[in-house]
Amino acid sequence: QVQLVESGGGLVQAGGSLRLSCAASGSIFSLTTMGWYRQAPGNQRELVADITRGGRTNYADSVKGRVTISRDNAKNTVYLQMNSLKPEDTAVYYCNAALQGYDSRWRDYWGQGTQVTVAS
């Protein structure tokens, strides 16, 4: 019933920019923290950034100053604006959300992932 759909990935040159979007839909009673994670082949999944419903943000040290996470609560959507991209940013980016269903239970959901490739 709940789905997270990412979009906005693609191929860019080093120094370029991308904006990722993730929209949550379905049977959602309450949507709290949303975040972006990434995983490159052979690597561990790592946090890029997350944001609470109230707008408090958290960033990985590797992206601070280059990335901005934001959200539109009315649209149940989180965004990741990425600037000054580097080849090491190349990965599949996954949206994550913590939400409460109408059964009052809290669950963790993931999107299908969107590929970001930064060329040298």
Side-chain angles (χ1 to χ4, degrees):
Q1 289 282 78
V2 176
Q3 186 174 211
L4 304 181
V5 179
E6 304 104 330
S7 63
L11 172 66
V12 296
Q13 297 296 313
S17 298
L18 284 174
R19 190 186 75 154
L20 307 183
S21 299
C22 172
S25 62
S27 299
I28 302 169
F29 179 76
S30 181
L31 181 64
T32 58
T33 301
M34 301 184 75
W36 289 94
Y37 292 73
R38 67 187 182 188
Q39 187 168 20
N43 281 241
Q44 294 255 39
R45 183 181 63 188
E46 64 177 359
L47 173 72
V48 179
D50 60 24
I51 183 169
T52 68
R53 184 174 182 86
R56 293 189 299 275
T57 58
N58 179 49
Y59 296 95
D61 288 340
S62 60
V63 302
K64 284 182 179 177
R66 302 187 296 118
V67 167
T68 301
I69 189 168
S70 61
R71 65 190 291 165
D72 184 336
N73 290 332
K75 297 180 179 179
N76 286 342
T77 300
V78 64
Y79 305 94
L80 190 72
Q81 178 67 46
M82 301 188 292
N83 303 316
S84 301
L85 284 164
K86 304 174 180 180
E88 50 262 45
D89 294 318
T90 296
V92 177
Y93 284 68
Y94 295 93
C95 179
N96 173 265
L99 60 87
Q100 185 181 31
Y102 285 96
D103 61 358
S104 298
R105 295 182 64 184
W106 291 90
R107 296 181 177 88
D108 204 32
Y109 287 88
W110 293 90
Q112 83 285 354
T114 185
Q115 177 71 45
V116 171
T117 302
V118 184
S120 300

